[in-house]
Amino acid sequence: MLHVLYLVHDLSDPAVRRRVDMLQAGGAKVTLAGFRRADKATAGLEALSPIDLGQTHDGKFAQRLTAVGKAALGLGARLCGVRRPDVIIGRNLEMLALARRARSMFGGDMPVVYECLDIHRLLLGNGGVSRVMRAAERMLGGKASLLMTSSPAFVRDYFERFSQIDAPVALLQNKVLELHRRPAPAGNGAAPLPAAGEPWVIGWFGALRCRKSLELLGAFTQQAEGRFKVVLRGRPAYTEFADFDGFVAAEPHMRFEGAYRNPEDLAAIYGQVHFAWAIDFFEEGLNSSWLLPNRLYEGCLHGAVPIAMADTETGRFLAERHMGLRLEAASVEALTTLLGTIDAESFAAMRDRIAAEDRGTWVCDRRDCLALVERLKGLTARVEPAAMLQTA
C-alpha cells in the first residue's frame, strides 16, 4: 500500500479532507500533518489523528513564515515514529519547504509532490519580495517529481510564464468528490422556479473573502427591489472586511446562513438557490482570474446556473461549453443587464444545458481516486523497506 505523508497549510480547510478522502479511496495510507487556522481540524479527519504543527493566521504572512521555521526545526520530533513514506505531498509553498525538510530526514530519495491550488499575490509582483519568493519556489520545487494544480491557467499564466517548476503536471480540478452516489431527490434536487412575487436566489458559498463581490451584490439586490436575493454560506475571511456581519445584517435582500459540511450539505444548500456566484475579485487580474472555484462544480452539479466574469478562466470554461452567465463588467448596471430579463423559460433553458453536460465534468469518482494513486505510485523508482524516523 502506498504511504503518503501529506503536509498541509490548514487542517481546518474542507478541501484538505477532500484530498485525503481521494487518496484513501484510491488505496493509499495517509499520514496527515499541518498547521491549523481554527481550533481543530475539519470534521472527517479525526480518525487520522493529524500531527499538529501549530497555529497560523489569515493575512499574517510574517507569522506564517515564523511558524514554518519553528516547525522545520522541530519536524524530526513531530514525525518521530512515522513510517517512512513512499511519497511526500506539500500543499502550498510553505509546506513544500517542510516536505523538502522531511524528505532529507527520511533518507532523501522519495518523490516530493508540490500541490499548488492558489498563487499568492506575493509571488506575482515585480518588487524584491516577489522576486525572492519566486526564486525560493524555483529552488524548493526544483526537484519536485510532480506539480498538482487545479486550473490550466495556473500552469499557462504562472508556472510556464515565470519558468517556475519543471515537472510533470497533474490537473486535479475542484470537482465534487462522489464516492457513494446517492439517489437524486425529486426534481433532481434543483431549486424550484420562484412563484409569482418571489425572488430569484443567488448563492455565494465557500470561502467568502471578496469585499468587492459583497458590495456589488448588496447594491444590485437593493436596486432590483426584491426581485433577487443573496444567500451566503461558508467561512468569511473577516480580515478582508471592515464589518462583514454588520454589512450583511443591514442589507434587506441578503443573509448569511453560516458554515456547512462539504460534501454532505451540498445538495441541500444548492437546492435552495437558482444561481451560483462563481466570481472572486480577491486577487483581481491574478489568482482570482485564473482559478476554477469549487462553487462552479458544486453549483452545476446541483442545478444552479453559474455567474462568472467573462474575462476569467471560469468565464472561458463556461463559454467553451455554451453554458452559464458571463458578466462583462463588475458593475450594478452590467449585472442588471445580465439578469434583468431572466424568466422561467430562459432559466429553464440554461439549467437544461448544464444538465446535458457529462456528469464527469462536475464529479470526481472512485476511478479518479484510483488514477491519482496510480500516478503517485509511478513516481516511486523503488520501494524501500519500512522504517521509522528516529531522532537523536
Side-chain angles (χ1 to χ4, degrees), residues 7 10 52 129 162 191 212 214 258 266 313 321 334:
L7 302 173
D10 183 7
D52 190 342
V129 172
F162 289 100
K212 186 172 179 177
L214 189 68
L266 293 181
E313 189 69 12
R321 292 162 177 79

Side-chain angles (χ1 to χ4, degrees), residues 10-22:
D10 183 7
L11 290 167
S12 57
D13 184 348
V16 168
R17 176 191 167 191
R18 181 175 60 208
R19 185 69 74 235
V20 168
D21 287 346
M22 280 190 71

Side-chain angles (χ1 to χ4, degrees), residues 168-189:
V169 175
L171 183 64
L172 301 178
Q173 296 180 50
N174 291 314
K175 299 180 183 182
V176 178
L177 180 59
E178 190 176 77
L179 299 178
H180 307 286
R181 184 172 178 181
R182 300 176 179 87
N188 202 33

Side-chain angles (χ1 to χ4, degrees), residues 17-357:
R17 176 191 167 191
R18 181 175 60 208
R19 185 69 74 235
V20 168
D21 287 346
M22 280 190 71
L23 292 167
Q24 291 179 322
K29 170 183 170 56
V30 179
T31 296
L32 179 64
F35 297 100
R36 52 186 166 78
R37 304 276 175 90
D39 291 335
K40 59 182 180 179
T42 190
L45 295 176
E46 302 90 347
L48 285 178
S49 300
I51 299 168
D52 190 342
L53 299 180
Q55 188 164 16
T56 56
H57 303 282
D58 283 329
K60 306 286 187 180
F61 194 71
Q63 186 268 337
R64 285 166 58 185
L65 284 179
T66 300
V68 170
K70 290 180 178 178
L73 292 174
L75 197 60
R78 297 294 179 91
L79 298 181
C80 182
V82 172
R83 182 172 67 84
R84 186 183 193 277
D86 301 303
V87 176
I88 302 175
I89 301 176
R91 185 182 179 100
N92 286 9
L93 180 55
E94 62 261 48
M95 306 316 293
L96 178 61
L98 291 183
R100 289 282 299 268
R101 172 74 170 156
R103 183 178 188 264
S104 66
M105 291 176 173
F106 280 109
D109 59 352
M110 75 278 295
V112 168
V113 175
Y114 180 26
E115 182 178 28
C116 182
L117 306 180
D118 285 293
I119 311 296
H120 196 281
R121 58 182 175 269
L122 285 179
L123 288 160
L124 295 167
N126 295 317
V129 172
S130 294
R131 289 197 296 270
V132 168
M133 292 286 291
R134 287 196 296 271
E137 184 180 56
R138 284 193 294 269
M139 184 273 292
L140 292 170
K143 294 184 179 179
S145 298
L146 185 69
L147 170 65
M148 296 198 313
T149 192
S150 57
S151 170
F154 290 149
V155 180
R156 180 185 67 240
D157 295 329
Y158 176 69
F159 287 107
E160 290 182 352
R161 175 187 168 195
F162 289 100
S163 302
Q164 286 300 100
I165 304 292
D166 184 19
V169 175
L171 183 64
L172 301 178
Q173 296 180 50
N174 291 314
K175 299 180 183 182
V176 178
L177 180 59
E178 190 176 77
L179 299 178
H180 307 286
R181 184 172 178 181
R182 300 176 179 87
N188 202 33
L193 295 174
E198 292 185 349
W200 295 94
V201 185
I202 301 171
W204 180 19
F205 303 151
L208 307 176
R209 59 184 184 177
C210 179
R211 183 174 62 250
K212 186 172 179 177
S213 284
L214 189 68
E215 293 172 352
L216 174 59
L217 288 168
F220 166 70
T221 54
Q222 286 198 38
Q223 180 166 301
E225 298 182 328
R227 186 164 179 248
F228 289 85
K229 71 176 182 180
V230 174
V231 175
L232 303 98
R233 293 178 182 263
R235 300 193 303 168
Y238 284 103
T239 56
E240 302 301 325
F241 302 96
D243 181 9
F244 175 85
D245 295 324
F247 184 96
V248 174
E251 289 294 326
H253 309 295
M254 181 180 289
R255 68 178 188 267
F256 174 55
E257 297 189 350
Y260 59 93
R261 298 172 301 163
N262 188 337
E264 291 87 350
D265 295 337
L266 293 181
I269 65 174
Y270 280 99
Q272 298 173 14
V273 305
H274 303 103
F275 301 96
W277 187 255
I279 293 176
D280 184 349
F281 302 106
F282 178 64
E283 291 178 347
E284 193 171 0
L286 303 171
N287 187 74
S288 293
S289 297
W290 301 336
L291 56 77
L292 293 171
N294 296 330
R295 55 182 72 100
L296 167 66
Y297 305 90
E298 295 167 356
C300 288
L301 178 63
H302 296 101
V305 174
I307 303 172
M309 291 302 298
D311 60 350
T312 64
E313 189 69 12
T314 306
R316 287 186 286 272
F317 178 99
L318 294 174
E320 289 171 0
R321 292 162 177 79
H322 307 287
M323 64 175 59
L325 291 168
R326 298 179 295 282
L327 184 63
E328 295 293 339
S331 68
V332 172
E333 294 74 21
L335 193 51
T336 300
T337 299
L338 185 69
L339 294 174
T341 59
I342 293 292
D343 57 20
E345 183 178 359
S346 60
F347 179 78
M350 288 188 287
R351 180 179 277 176
D352 288 346
R353 179 67 193 88
I354 293 170
E357 182 74 12

